[in-house]
Amino acid sequence: MDGDVFLDRIPCGILKLKTEDRFPVIYSNSAIKNWFQSPSCLEDMICESEFGEISEKIHNHMDLGSRIFRLEFRAKTLEDHCWFSMDFHFIQEEELFYCSVSDITWLKRNMESLKVQEEQYRLASRHSGCIVCIYDIPNRTLSPSSEFTRNFPAPFTMPLSPEYLIENGIVHKESMKDFLDFYEEMERGTPEGECVVRLKTGSGKYHWFSKHYSLVYTEEKKPLRGIISYQDITDQYEKELAYQRWAEYMREQKKDCIGYYEYNTKSDLFEEIIGEMTSNVPEDAKKSFSDIMNYIAEHEIYEEDKELYLNFFNKEYLLFQYYQGNRSLRLEHRRLRTDGSVCWTLGMVQIVTDPYTDTIKAFILIKDIDASKRETLTLHELSRQDCLTGLLNRSAAIHAIRLILNNNKGHHILIMLDIDQFKQLNDSYGHQFGDKALHRAASRLKSALRREDIFGRLGGDEFIILLKDVSYSMDLYSRLENLCSLIGSALEPEVHISGSLGTAAYPEDGVTFDELYRKADIALYHAKKHGRNQYSVYEPGMSMVNSE
């Protein structure tokens, strides 16, 4: 049998290489030619990124006098991830290598698969006690465990992806970004990561889950698998959120208060004291919660409110309310100032469980509400109702508007409104008919306003409206036009009447009632002088004199 034919039938590649640069091929059998498309040198066979390293290893063996050695390399072929093993036999006197080459791709892939499985097992054991899921990074698919499918309801009849879980409502909308960022970190190759997200469980309710992942890499150090664990942390996380939320709220509120206390019910100690107790209460009265509250009741609280105060600021009462599910408590009570005068104060208590120690704590805040309370009491003492229209009367309407302007930082519109040529209407049809016109117009206007808006009659045919928390916009202008239209249709078909409106805005046109009243009145005058049956918005430069 011809020698070349014999060598072609050997189930491996046969090579004869020179020891020169790039290792030229002197002979190759058919296996080599099929695998590497008739290479002219060893460099043509080896992946470009690895040839330098392989060349260096060959020269090292030559320098050490090694006659027989073996190297593995990734091939420069049309297929991806092909591995070969090459046995070198160095003939120094001929300056040649006689080599046999074997395809070991299947072996490498099996070894890699085994390595991945071992790594997955190792990582999964770290996540024991959790719901585990495997993320195939190259294919962007999830392989859920049976426990995963029991906990998260979805039609798992197709390959899962992060986007698929979002589209099927498993991921709460507030967690979508964190959920996707979690997977992007895996795809970037970040070794480990975690996040907290809300996911829908089999009960149909959303729970908070802590998600952790650890990566498994390929031989080329590329991310291959993510071992993901899910742990339901709903109870703990919601406790932490509630605690942080109320701690932050109380920190903000205590900037302007009479007193602020953080009370630990377990140890019966105050962990923080700000305000009145820092100077007013002697040390021997600070032994316990009841000692402090008794001292304050005796020296600071108005006589008629002492019993109410002590019943409220009582450790047993606070704990009872907590276990009844009442975590936010409020008490309005009167205190004595240093000059002996009485002021209204508000006691606010938020009772929460410290999520880290399970200790029940009470955040107590005492605020001065004297001005607003007395304003409220005064408002209630007034005769609030206009007997003809059922609206707020002049005093009640103005007080209500002043209260909003003094205590609200929003954007409001003050409207002055009256019936056009009302005196002529009275003269033509009589005062009874005029009263009917006022009542009808008021009723129609009230139906177009919101519950939070203020609407009152100033007297005669004059009305005042405060639209709360609105800004000038196309919607507002259409509402103003509608108010004019409602007045016009109030007595139809008996007679057609009309009304004019003038508006001013808080805070642009003024921050007090008197400023807004004056400017809205100027705008009303402007509307009347320009044809009536319309509205006019106050603008700088308007006046009763030059409005024409």
Side-chain angles (χ1 to χ4, degrees), residues 467-512:
L467 300 179
K468 284 187 62 180
D469 298 315
V470 296
S471 301
Y472 284 122
S473 65
M474 294 303 295
D475 179 62
L476 177 63
Y477 294 140
S478 65
R479 288 177 64 187
L480 294 175
E481 290 176 359
N482 183 50
L483 293 178
C484 290
S485 175
L486 289 170
I487 296 171
S489 62
L491 290 178
E492 289 181 345
E494 298 174 70
V495 64
H496 179 77
I497 62 173
S498 66
S500 299
L501 285 70
T503 74
Y506 172 96
E508 294 94 328
D509 300 327
V511 294
T512 67

Side-chain angles (χ1 to χ4, degrees), residues 372-523:
S372 61
K373 181 67 176 180
R374 291 188 185 280
E375 189 77 23
T376 301
L377 293 174
T378 301
L379 185 61
H380 282 287
E381 289 169 2
L382 296 171
S383 175
R384 295 174 55 85
Q385 195 175 60
D386 174 66
C387 60
L388 176 62
T389 62
L391 303 178
L392 295 176
N393 64 21
R394 181 185 185 90
S395 296
I398 293 174
H399 270 83
I401 293 171
R402 287 187 192 277
L403 191 63
I404 291 171
L405 298 180
N406 291 337
N407 294 280
N408 193 297
K409 302 302 181 184
H411 190 280
H412 317 298
I413 304 296
L414 185 72
I415 301 173
M416 297 291 295
L417 180 157
D418 68 15
I419 307 299
D420 294 330
Q421 299 176 325
F422 185 71
K423 183 178 183 302
Q424 183 177 333
L425 183 70
N426 270 338
D427 292 341
S428 300
Y429 298 93
H431 288 281
Q432 187 174 1
F433 192 86
D435 289 346
K436 179 181 178 181
L438 292 174
H439 185 272
R440 287 272 189 89
S443 178
R444 284 178 172 266
L445 291 169
K446 187 174 183 179
S447 68
L449 299 176
R450 302 167 301 170
R451 179 177 297 179
E452 60 265 34
D453 296 330
I454 304 298
F455 185 22
R457 182 186 177 202
L458 296 179
D461 65 323
E462 295 181 325
F463 296 88
I464 190 167
I465 298 172
L466 183 75
L467 300 179
K468 284 187 62 180
D469 298 315
V470 296
S471 301
Y472 284 122
S473 65
M474 294 303 295
D475 179 62
L476 177 63
Y477 294 140
S478 65
R479 288 177 64 187
L480 294 175
E481 290 176 359
N482 183 50
L483 293 178
C484 290
S485 175
L486 289 170
I487 296 171
S489 62
L491 290 178
E492 289 181 345
E494 298 174 70
V495 64
H496 179 77
I497 62 173
S498 66
S500 299
L501 285 70
T503 74
Y506 172 96
E508 294 94 328
D509 300 327
V511 294
T512 67
F513 172 80
D514 292 338
E515 288 178 296
L516 294 174
Y517 181 96
R518 181 175 63 83
K519 292 178 179 178
D521 197 37
I522 291 173

Side-chain angles (χ1 to χ4, degrees), residues 20-161:
E20 300 170 6
D21 187 39
R22 300 175 67 220
F23 305 103
V25 175
I26 297 175
Y27 170 81
S28 63
N29 69 349
S30 60
I32 295 295
K33 293 173 182 176
N34 291 334
W35 285 336
F36 304 103
Q37 291 79 50
S38 301
S40 62
C41 62
L42 182 61
E43 187 177 10
D44 292 341
M45 300 166 54
I46 299 176
C47 181
E48 293 177 4
S49 62
E50 298 183 5
F51 178 73
E53 181 182 352
I54 295 295
S55 177
E56 183 179 352
K57 289 181 178 179
I58 293 173
H59 284 105
N60 287 341
H61 281 293
M62 292 170 62
D63 293 342
L64 293 172
S66 303
R67 297 177 60 83
I68 299 174
F69 54 92
R70 174 179 294 175
L71 296 176
E72 295 179 356
F73 63 89
R74 285 193 306 159
K76 184 192 292 184
T77 68
L78 296 177
E79 299 180 27
D80 293 333
H81 306 298
C82 290
W83 283 87
F84 288 86
S85 171
M86 180 179 288
D87 288 292
F88 290 80
H89 189 180
F90 177 40
I91 308 300
Q92 188 172 6
E93 54 272 18
E94 297 182 22
E95 295 187 349
L96 293 174
F97 289 108
Y98 291 86
C99 309
S100 62
V101 182
S102 301
D103 185 343
I104 60 169
T105 303
W106 67 273
L107 179 61
K108 277 287 187 180
R109 288 178 177 170
N110 286 342
M111 290 176 64
E112 185 176 89
S113 177
L114 180 61
K115 180 180 177 181
V116 168
Q117 290 177 19
E118 290 176 348
E119 184 67 3
Q120 288 181 178
Y121 178 79
R122 183 183 68 80
L123 293 174
S125 65
R126 287 174 52 189
H127 299 276
S128 59
C130 304
I131 302 168
V132 176
C133 185
I134 309 296
Y135 183 50
D136 184 328
I137 295 173
N139 297 315
R140 299 196 78 251
T141 57
L142 291 160
S143 300
S145 63
S146 57
E147 188 176 3
F148 183 95
T149 57
R150 283 197 302 271
N151 279 272
F152 302 110
F156 299 117
T157 57
M158 59 182 73
L160 297 179
S161 67

Side-chain angles (χ1 to χ4, degrees), residues 77 82 93 107 120 129 174 180 264 268 283 329 332-333 338 348 369 385 422 427 442 459 493 499-500 513 528 538:
T77 68
C82 290
E93 54 272 18
L107 179 61
Q120 288 181 178
E174 73 179 77
L180 290 174
N264 186 321
D268 198 24
E283 288 301 319
L329 310 175
E332 291 185 359
H333 58 286
T338 53
M348 303 168 61
I369 60 166
Q385 195 175 60
F422 185 71
D427 292 341
S500 299
F513 172 80
K528 285 182 163 297
Y538 176 80

